[in-house]
Amino acid sequence: MDLAERAPERERLRLAALHEYRLLDSPAGDELEAVVRVAATVAGVPHASLNLIDENRQCQLTTVGFEGADSARSDSMCAVRFETGRFTYLPDASLDPVYRNNPWVTGVHSDVRFYASFPLVTPEGHALGSLCVFDREPGELSGDQIARLQDLAQIILALFERRRQARINAELAELAEARQRWTDTLLETIDVAVVAAGQDGRLTLFNRAAREWHGMDAEQDLDPAEFSGRYRLFETDGRTPLAPHRIPLLRALHDGDVRDAEMIIKRPDREPLHVSVSGRALIGPDGEPQGAVVAMNDVTSARAQQRAIEDARRELAAANADLRRSNADLSNFAGAVSHDLVAPLTAVNAYLEMIGDEVEGRPRQWAESACRAVIRMRDLIRSLLGYAQAGSAPVRRDAADLADIFEHVRVDLRPAAEAAGAEVAASGTLPSVAGDPVLIRQLLQNLVGNSIKYRDPERPCRVTVTAERVGEAWTIAVADNGLGIPPEQRRRVFEMFTRLDNATAGGHGIGLSTCWRIVERHGGDIRVDETPGGGTTVLFTLPDVSEQG
């Protein structure tokens, strides 16, 4: 991609970054107004402005010393050089050949003479606008004044980011709360008794069915040794009290799993219930044990079982529809998604698997279908986290040995390659480059994995990695003989959630977007071409190790 082709893409990305902050046409707020006032004071001038540049206009978010208003981008003094990222300093703008005919200098909008503009550039390199100070008289700035004004521009960017993060956190909190409400509703709706305990064995959850069956709520301070007597648990003979080591919940806690254990619950003034119990230990996303959960089914009431499965299926279908609508919003703040969203899905998946173990036929197929949907949601969240981390984690500029990294990738993908009958190899010597070894490994693994996934079933899969020195950088090519990507779709494959019309494998359309983000953060380019003879070649550039630092 040459410079002329990159320019519209960079502007698209710049505008996307600007709109992501949601600042245009919004009140600046006390903090931003205060910073702009301080900027005017530091510069010793009566006028200052915080300008944002969108597609067609200059939006003056807040001003000092004059009434701010929008103006055409073509009229803006700040828009002339702000994208370079360097500040502009004119003691007398009327003497500068670039600015002297500008409407803000000639008297159409104002008669600016002294002018200094400090671009607001995000860490990703996107220029949003500028902090501008000016006067109608010629003037000068000292080095210390310039440094302090640059500091104020950074403070403005920090305030932008804090506002964005606050909005994202609020949206995530709302989503997490909605998910928790949905989980609680599911547990209170199903006719399967669900009981959970913490790692110490003390009860943490009795859902509605459990409360009805036992005739009471969970007593969280009750010693586990007293469960049998307090909740009237018996062996299947209906006479022998259930010993603590035989209680299914405690068995799941200590053994990690219990299936189809049977016991009798004697209820006051009602017929005893003969129940089948399955459960397992709960393991958090960090691998730490969190307790155990069991599901109890009345084996004498098949119809109640069918209602529970149907209720669960409808609730899960509604949740999946909500999640699909939410994904459009989640793409703008995926880097902030936390493990709190994964934990409820883990619990729901466990509940559905246990329900599925108790039924046959169509109800079991429904439960298995629901489990697969939950797994898809979990994988999507992990992909979003990977995308966010590729764009937000610090980039280490170390010497990264591509040959060594490629061997690790081959080892990681060996099961998939062998299953597909794929040959994965490097042609020639792979160099050392300057970059983050972890991110570069993720990049190569995504690309090679895609080549295996989207192979042509009509011929043996072959994936080849090569490197060529071009100037001060290396161009690395990952070429395959797979299905290929139509020319009209090659530019959009790096966009989030893009899936091609000819794709037959699963996926969420995030992998190539993550690759693009990794390459961009290393200062390189990535593009898609056609492999001679058919297939896809992805080419990306990374700096040579001699350019490190």
Side-chain angles (χ1 to χ4, degrees):
M1 183 183 295
D2 59 26
L3 184 61
E5 292 175 320
R6 287 199 302 266
E9 177 67 9
R10 292 186 185 278
E11 175 65 3
R12 185 187 69 79
L13 295 174
R14 186 193 75 80
L15 292 172
L18 172 64
H19 292 304
E20 184 178 352
Y21 283 97
R22 301 185 188 177
L23 294 163
L24 292 168
D25 304 314
S26 298
D30 294 341
E31 291 175 325
L32 290 174
E33 291 175 355
V35 173
V36 176
R37 287 196 300 270
V38 171
T41 301
V42 169
V45 297
H47 308 294
S49 176
L50 173 53
N51 301 327
L52 299 177
I53 310 297
D54 69 5
E55 296 92 329
N56 304 307
R57 59 175 175 152
Q58 170 181 275
C59 174
Q60 293 180 324
L61 199 61
T62 183
T63 60
V64 171
F66 70 105
E67 186 71 25
D70 289 356
S71 60
R73 178 171 175 171
S74 58
D75 290 345
S76 170
M77 295 179 71
C78 292
V80 175
R81 292 174 178 163
F82 82 110
E83 289 181 287
T84 67
R86 297 187 297 271
F87 87 96
T88 299
Y89 170 40
L90 304 173
D92 189 342
S94 67
L95 302 180
D96 188 285
V98 175
Y99 290 89
R100 64 189 177 193
N101 294 323
N102 188 278
W104 287 89
V105 177
T106 61
V108 174
H109 295 313
S110 184
D111 49 358
V112 173
R113 292 299 176 265
F114 166 77
Y115 171 78
S117 176
F118 298 83
L120 305 172
V121 182
T122 68
E124 292 77 21
H126 302 305
L128 308 179
S130 66
L131 172 63
C132 171
V133 293
F134 63 92
D135 196 358
R136 290 185 173 87
E137 300 293 334
E140 296 184 352
L141 290 175
S142 67
D144 186 63
Q145 286 175 303
I146 292 173
R148 297 295 75 76
L149 289 167
Q150 289 173 327
D151 290 342
L152 292 174
Q154 292 303 309
I155 290 173
I156 289 174
L157 282 170
L159 292 174
F160 285 175
E161 182 62 22
R162 189 178 73 177
R163 183 182 293 188
R164 186 180 76 91
Q165 287 297 330
R167 186 190 76 245
I168 290 173
N169 290 340
E171 291 169 343
L172 282 174
E174 182 179 353
L175 182 61
E177 183 180 352
R179 180 62 58 206
Q180 186 61 53
R181 288 197 303 269
W182 175 82
T183 302
D184 293 341
T185 300
L186 173 63
L187 290 175
E188 291 299 294
T189 300
I190 60 175
D191 292 325
V192 174
V194 178
V195 179
Q199 191 61 19
D200 60 359
R202 298 187 182 274
L203 297 174
T204 58
L205 170 67
F206 258 37
N207 75 337
R208 175 190 56 81
R211 293 193 299 271
E212 291 178 354
W213 289 8
H214 289 290
M216 64 184 72
D217 205 344
E219 297 184 21
Q220 297 182 351
D221 295 330
L222 189 65
D223 190 313
E226 301 178 35
F227 284 175
S228 184
R230 182 64 176 137
Y231 295 109
R232 296 175 291 278
L233 309 179
F234 291 83
E235 296 283 1
T236 54
D237 60 12
R239 299 185 302 273
T240 307
L242 210 59
H245 72 277
R246 294 274 297 157
I247 296 175
L249 178 63
L250 300 182
R251 288 172 57 187
L253 181 64
H254 296 134
D255 300 338
D257 184 77
V258 62
R259 291 181 180 274
D260 303 323
E262 295 190 4
M263 67 180 184
I264 299 294
I265 302 174
K266 289 189 175 181
R267 302 177 294 175
D269 305 323
R270 300 177 65 184
E271 291 295 320
L273 279 177
H274 189 152
V275 299
S276 175
V277 188
S278 293
R280 65 182 59 190
L282 291 175
I283 306 299
D286 56 359
E288 291 295 319
Q290 296 182 343
V293 61
V294 294
M296 298 184 288
N297 293 275
D298 181 357
V299 296
T300 64
S301 179
R303 285 177 294 178
Q305 286 286 335
Q306 293 169 357
R307 288 195 300 270
I309 295 296
E310 186 60 25
D311 289 343
R313 187 193 66 79
R314 284 196 296 265
E315 292 288 346
L316 188 58
N320 286 338
D322 288 341
L323 185 59
R324 283 192 294 271
R325 288 191 294 270
S326 300
N327 280 341
D329 295 329
L330 279 172
S331 62
N332 293 324
F333 50 85
V337 172
S338 71
H339 73 278
D340 291 336
L341 292 180
V342 178
L345 292 180
T346 301
V348 170
N349 192 52
Y351 302 148
L352 289 169
E353 285 184 355
M354 289 184 288
I355 292 171
D357 291 338
E358 304 304 321
V359 296
E360 297 295 338
R362 293 188 66 193
R364 181 164 187 164
Q365 294 174 3
W366 294 334
E368 290 173 349
S369 177
C371 286
R372 289 193 294 271
V374 170
I375 291 170
R376 287 197 298 275
M377 286 190 284
R378 182 192 64 198
D379 292 344
L380 175 56
I381 290 172
R382 289 175 178 170
S383 296
L384 286 169
L385 286 173
Y387 176 79
Q389 290 163 356
S392 60
V395 174
R396 295 161 45 203
R397 294 290 178 149
D398 296 336
D401 186 345
L402 278 183
D404 182 63
I405 291 173
F406 177 66
E407 284 306 312
H408 282 89
V409 169
R410 289 181 64 188
V411 171
D412 291 343
L413 295 176
R414 182 173 297 159
E418 291 177 351
E423 176 188 344
V424 180
S427 177
T429 301
L430 297 181
S432 290
V433 296
D436 189 319
V438 174
L439 292 179
I440 294 173
R441 180 171 175 175
Q442 181 183 1
L443 169 64
L444 274 179
Q445 190 151 329
N446 277 354
L447 294 177
V448 175
N450 272 356
S451 294
I452 296 173
K453 182 185 297 184
Y454 298 104
R455 60 189 178 275
D456 188 337
E458 301 299 324
R459 53 185 172 182
C461 177
R462 186 176 64 255
V463 185
T464 305
V465 178
T466 59
E468 179 183 3
R469 179 71 180 262
V470 179
E472 298 177 347
W474 286 93
T475 296
I476 296 91
V478 179
D480 63 49
N481 63 341
L483 296 173
I485 299 176
E488 67 273 10
Q489 299 188 43
R490 291 173 189 166
R491 293 178 63 88
R492 70 180 187 91
V493 292
F494 298 108
E495 297 176 1
M496 283 283 285
F497 304 118
T498 295
R499 298 186 63 191
L500 301 183
D501 298 336
N502 67 342
T504 58
H508 303 288
I510 299 175
L512 283 178
S513 182
T514 301
C515 292
W516 173 84
R517 218 173 193 191
I518 292 172
V519 173
E520 186 200 35
R521 298 198 68 217
H522 283 81
D525 293 317
I526 186 169
R527 70 181 191 275
V528 174
D529 208 340
E530 184 174 0
T531 304
T536 299
T537 299
V538 179
L539 302 103
F540 60 91
T541 59
L542 292 173
D544 184 72
V545 70
S546 63
E547 301 300 315
Q548 182 175 344

